Amino acid sequence: MIKTLDELNAVKVKAAEVVSTRVEHRDSGVRDVLVCGGTGCTSSGSANIIKTLEEEIEKNGLKDKVNVIKTGCFGLCALGPIMIVYPEGVFYSKTESEHIPEIVEQHLKNGEPVKKYLYSETVHEDGSIISLDETPFYKKQHRVALRNCGVINPEHIEEYIARDGYQALNKVLTSMSPDDVIKVITDSGLRGRGGAGFPTGRKWQFAKASVNEQKYVCCNADEGDPGAFMDRSVLEGDPHAVIEAMTIAGYAIGANQGYIYVRAEYPIAVERLEIAIKQAEEQGMLGDDIFGTGFSFHLGLRLGAGAFVCGEETALMTSIEGNRGEPRVRPPFPAVKGLFGKPTILNNVETYANICQIILKGAEWFAGMGTEKSKGTKVFALGGKIHNTGLVEVPMGTTLREVVEEIGGGIPNGKKFKAAQTGGPSGGCIPPQHLDIPIDYDNLISIGSMMGSGGLIVMDEDNCMVDIAKFFLEFTVDESCGKCTPCRIGTKRLYEILTKITEGKGTMEDLDKMEKLCYYIKDNALCGLGQTAPNPVLSTLRYFRDEYIAHVKDKTCPAGVCKSLLSYKIIADKCKGCSLCSKKCPVGAISGEIRNPFKIDSEKCIKCGVCMSNCKFGAIVKG
């Protein structure tokens, strides 16, 4: 049980001796082998790698010289499972259990990295190995929210303490008033990272000003956007950062109870939160009389069932209360009447992940990063048609081009960039002409998109933008809680019109009708999720209207995606008459004679594309 700053520092000094091997690349005579234990690498078999590592280390008599540590996400998910060996900082990518005996024998025992298994960007042509921080993926990143992910074992509170963990809480409780805390957060310019971008300090101030004997602090870890995994990765890699920040928030507004609302589909995050909460309670960082100051704060987990609408703050609170997750009419706002009718603040995981560093390093430090109105950094889940799928954290104001072409490594297979979707179903598609726009809250809104929680999906020339809009609308229709008519019925009508267009049955009047309906939904839906649901449609209409017109007037899909508008044909000059396409066709739509050009019966063809994917001569095209 830690009760004083001296006791906390004693734990820090002892643990820092271990963690410094990785953080400072200090050679202590013991190697640390860090293996990613995040969801992505776990699904790729990192647990088997850890098991094999431990077996081989023992077999080679290295148990006292090598520590195997399970961490959170390193960020470069496309190359998982990932393994990093310190103090060298050598990065092994796409690791397989079969590689481990050789790595243990050659590297861990004899000190010679096995270069054929290393991340290629870390190996020069002359064979020399460069620092991971100097690779294109990492060198433009600046990790604040992700500072401990991939560095510490998230299941050991001592390792968090070694990295200044719970120092901010001690500082707040022993030398700052609640007003001091709120002023620091306000002066830092931190805005909510959950999507809306509301100033965090102002939200806390509203809740503090509300007079009530009971107040609550809530954390939104629901993260329902397709392709988003920022919050999950923070919880898996650094759960104590959120726990400490929520405790600080409780002190600032006068709350003694907090709840983390996390989706049940995040089993690793849930398990590590449970471990972290228990450890924090055992060490006196949670519970009664924290640091002997008389301040008490308790924290509980509540599991969500995967409803997208529960990302909306009032719906989330309704769900915590044990009711169906539906949004409430505002005002009153949660800072006045929130969870169980009491004053409540709700921030998302990434927002909380910034708090402790702001307290320790000061408002000026955080405000020195980013742009005039968007301070600090932003975490993005980079996915889609991109080489380096993964998790990135960059200063606000970094351009989309830098993220896509430099950090992301560009578009695979020589394809051209077509669009990037930010903000998930609530965001919009950013076209090539805005690749150089600095990413911040206001700039994205000005071009018809939004920051959202941080999903960033990249699309290339093979994506149909009408189909993309339809995909997001289908998601919204499925996830609408149905409480208000504009969202329940309006999004359904939008989806029906989009379906009609992708089937080649749309009219020009449908485009006007769809645009008018979009603005009606935006103006009349009950909550933010309904109000932003039309954004993917509006942004694609704005920047890719020519594709809509092609679907409507020419009855063609320029990207060759919409099945109803596709047709496959065999180019006679290229066809060798091998008959492979005929043999593979599941419906017998292809006929011909050996060594003569074959033909496709368009009436029978179901447009599955099997013929094209099996043709070895490029004789089959779609259009």
Side-chain angles (χ1 to χ4, degrees), residues 32-158:
D32 284 352
V33 182
L34 275 58
V35 182
C36 175
T39 294
C41 287
T42 298
S43 66
S44 300
S46 64
N48 290 331
I49 289 167
I50 291 173
K51 181 183 176 184
T52 307
L53 257 174
E54 291 171 340
E55 291 171 352
E56 290 295 321
I57 287 168
E58 184 159 4
K59 189 187 299 182
N60 283 270
L62 299 172
K63 203 168 182 181
D64 296 331
K65 296 181 178 180
V66 179
N67 298 318
V68 179
I69 296 133
K70 181 169 63 175
T71 71
C73 180
F74 293 107
L76 199 46
C77 304
L79 297 180
I82 291 171
M83 187 171 82
I84 301 182
V85 180
Y86 287 102
E88 301 97 320
V90 172
F91 187 110
Y92 289 100
S93 62
K94 296 185 178 179
T95 313
E96 298 179 14
S97 296
E98 292 75 19
H99 302 163
I100 300 303
E102 187 177 356
I103 292 172
V104 171
E105 173 72 26
Q106 184 175 317
H107 186 179
L108 302 185
K109 191 173 183 179
N110 297 318
E112 188 65 36
V114 186
K115 293 178 181 177
K116 62 184 175 182
Y117 299 140
L118 297 181
Y119 172 35
S120 60
E121 295 286 349
T122 64
V123 183
H124 280 308
E125 289 184 4
D126 62 5
S128 61
I129 299 172
I130 65 169
S131 165
L132 194 61
D133 294 335
E134 292 302 311
T135 61
F137 181 79
Y138 287 103
K139 68 181 178 182
K140 285 205 168 185
Q141 293 193 49
H142 187 80
R143 292 190 151 206
V144 178
L146 299 178
R147 66 184 293 270
N148 285 330
C149 294
V151 175
I152 65 171
N153 183 334
E155 297 180 12
H156 290 179
I157 190 172
E158 295 82 8

Side-chain angles (χ1 to χ4, degrees), residues 302-321:
R302 294 295 181 269
L303 303 188
F308 179 64
V309 73
C310 286
E312 196 278 335
E313 60 179 2
T314 61
L316 183 151
M317 293 175 196
T318 303
S319 182
I320 290 178
E321 292 167 357

Side-chain angles (χ1 to χ4, degrees), residues 145 148 160 166 234 238-246 352-353 355-356:
N148 285 330
Y160 177 69
Y166 292 104
V234 172
D238 196 16
H240 285 284
V242 176
I243 293 170
E244 184 180 5
M246 291 182 70
Y352 284 124
I355 296 295
C356 299

Side-chain angles (χ1 to χ4, degrees), residues 570 581-582 588-593 596-601:
I570 296 174
C581 58
S582 176
I590 304 176
S591 59
E593 296 179 2
N596 288 301
F598 277 62
K599 292 183 179 180
I600 299 175
D601 186 337

Side-chain angles (χ1 to χ4, degrees), residues 192-266:
R193 298 304 196 243
F198 191 82
T200 304
R202 196 186 307 173
K203 180 183 284 190
W204 290 18
Q205 182 61 58
F206 290 154
K208 180 183 180 295
S210 295
V211 179
N212 202 292
E213 60 193 23
Q214 180 66 57
K215 298 180 183 180
Y216 295 102
V217 174
C218 290
C219 175
N220 180 357
D222 191 55
E223 195 168 49
D225 288 7
F229 51 96
M230 304 78 58
D231 293 347
R232 185 193 76 200
S233 297
V234 172
L235 294 178
E236 290 176 351
D238 196 16
H240 285 284
V242 176
I243 293 170
E244 184 180 5
M246 291 182 70
T247 308
I248 291 171
Y251 173 75
I253 72 165
N256 60 15
Q257 178 66 51
Y259 293 100
I260 300 176
Y261 186 87
V262 57
R263 55 180 42 220
E265 293 98 324
Y266 287 177

